[in-house]
Amino acid sequence: MGGTFWLPRRGSTFAADVDFAWDLVFWISVFFFVLITSLLVWFVLRYRERPGYVAQPASSHNTPLEIFWSVVPTLIVAGLFWTGYKTYLDMATPPAGAYEIQVTGQKWNWLFTYPNGYVDGQLHVPEDTPVRLVMTSQDVMHAFFVPTFRVKRDVLPGRYTDLWFEAIEPGTHEVLCAEYCGTSHSTMLTKVVVHERADYERWLAEASDFLRLLPPAEAGQLLYAQRGCKQCHSVDGKAGIGPTLQGLFGHDQPLTGGGSVRVDENYIRESVLVPRAKIAAGYEAVMPSYQGRLRDEEIAAIVEYLKTLKGSP
Ligand code: CUA
């Protein structure tokens, strides 16, 4: 399902209907643009002022012609409305029994919570299955946008919005944030991975079991990449929205408002759960709390990962 010059490839069952509506509007516009512009140019040349010409009074109106140019555009516009409205209703009505995944938008990443409680930074779905996303935001307005699925919906703090789609074949697709949400809006990206149906449950079981399957430091690295730490904290010494994590563990961290703190297990735990408690000097208090969103063993794994990041902060 390759894309065209105008539209990206088609990844969902909606795509063909959305593209049909778009093509219809496009080609009707092209037709009238060419018709009107050609007549305009032709009339300008044909009826230009010539020497000795005396203007004639205009003839009175032409009823059949006026009815024709009122009725035909009305029918065209009503047809366009119907084409769009039909697809809109489909898109606005998730089928009963759709597979549900919770989506959280936050500055500046996406989190996906699967029915078994597992949280991932990428959206994994089975093919040929209606999937309903129940979405909310931790902070400001975001918008969940998958161009190849032709779906986009605002994600708001303090309320739920939903969206559904059915992916038509295995593959990966880009997810964008389509609402300007601050400094790193343009990097608020992730992927949808569409699995073969038979593979999906196996993927979910294996992914959910990472704390048991991986050594703590590696599990911590995975959490760092998937839960949104990476967007603001580098591991190579570069300052970002937040301090780098390189060499952070065990070092004395100066704090906003004076004083400093030795970075140990307790400071990291506190900073994850109550980020505003002690702000590193030179940074703003913008980190969202992970209270209730990271379990104790997950925080312990992150601490183990931080211990491996040697160097000077
Ligand atoms: Cu989130 Cu833009």
Side-chain angles (χ1 to χ4, degrees):
M1 307 285 155
T4 64
F5 177 74
W6 300 107
L7 295 163
R9 74 197 162 98
R10 296 174 178 176
S12 78
T13 51
F14 295 138
D17 291 343
V18 172
D19 293 3
F20 175 76
W22 196 91
D23 286 340
L24 196 63
V25 172
F26 178 75
W27 288 111
I28 288 174
S29 306
V30 167
F31 173 78
F32 282 106
F33 175 78
V34 171
L35 178 73
I36 292 167
T37 312
S38 330
L39 285 175
L40 182 91
V41 171
W42 184 53
F43 286 171
V44 163
L45 297 173
R46 175 79 179 74
Y47 299 108
R48 69 188 184 278
E49 189 173 355
R50 294 185 166 95
Y53 175 77
V54 181
Q56 305 292 309
S59 64
S60 67
H61 70 271
N62 182 328
T63 306
L65 187 61
E66 285 176 20
I67 290 175
F68 174 77
W69 76 41
S70 303
V71 170
V72 170
T74 304
L75 291 178
I76 291 174
V77 172
L80 291 179
F81 169 77
W82 177 244
T83 307
Y85 188 59
K86 210 163 32 97
T87 310
Y88 171 78
L89 285 185
D90 283 349
M91 296 173 99
T93 318
Y99 184 74
E100 286 193 3
I101 298 172
Q102 313 284 322
V103 180
T104 308
Q106 64 180 32
K107 295 193 272 187
W108 284 278
N109 69 304
W110 299 102
L111 296 169
F112 303 93
T113 308
Y114 295 85
N116 66 357
Y118 172 63
V119 181
D120 200 293
Q122 289 186 336
L123 177 57
H124 291 256
V125 299
E127 64 170 334
D128 295 333
T129 306
V131 174
R132 175 171 178 249
L133 304 181
V134 181
M135 311 188 291
T136 192
S137 166
Q138 286 286 317
D139 37 49
V140 298
M141 281 176 69
H142 303 278
F144 186 86
F145 181 30
V146 187
T148 43
F149 287 181
R150 313 288 193 268
V151 293
K152 172 156 60 172
R153 190 91 202 259
D154 279 1
V155 177
L156 310 168
R159 87 152 102 151
Y160 296 104
T161 51
D162 70 350
L163 172 160
W164 82 278
F165 58 82
E166 184 175 325
I168 54 180
E169 59 188 357
T172 49
H173 303 265
E174 305 290 330
V175 177
L176 286 73
C177 177
E179 183 77 53
Y180 181 65
C181 55
T183 315
S184 299
H185 156 73
S186 60
T187 62
M188 192 167 163
L189 308 167
T190 186
K191 295 210 179 324
V192 188
V193 181
V194 182
H195 294 257
E196 278 175 32
R197 263 179 131 167
D199 266 4
Y200 183 75
E201 287 302 325
R202 197 178 46 205
W203 168 81
L204 184 59
E206 214 175 284
S208 313
D209 217 14
F210 72 100
L211 280 172
R212 200 175 59 78
L213 296 174
L214 296 176
E218 281 178 38
Q221 185 172 17
L222 193 71
L223 287 163
Y224 163 81
Q226 293 201 336
R227 294 297 184 88
C229 318
K230 191 169 79 173
Q231 273 71 10
C232 300
H233 299 282
S234 79
V235 290
D236 60 1
K238 284 201 200 73
I241 304 285
T244 183
L245 303 181
Q246 179 180 283
L248 191 67
F249 195 88
H251 122 108
D252 286 313
Q253 176 64 53
L255 297 174
T256 301
S260 71
V261 64
R262 171 61 58 93
V263 179
D264 59 7
E265 286 87 349
N266 283 312
Y267 175 67
I268 293 170
R269 183 184 162 81
E270 180 184 58
S271 299
V272 167
L273 298 177
V274 194
R276 275 147 213 251
K278 298 188 182 75
I279 303 296
Y283 293 93
E284 289 187 43
V286 293
M287 176 167 159
S289 166
Y290 278 81
Q291 191 89 52
R293 300 200 290 147
L294 280 175
R295 289 178 286 142
D296 283 348
E297 57 267 43
E298 292 176 326
I299 296 174
I302 290 171
V303 170
E304 289 311 306
Y305 174 53
L306 260 56
K307 288 179 182 169
T308 68
L309 301 170
K310 306 266 194 275
S312 54

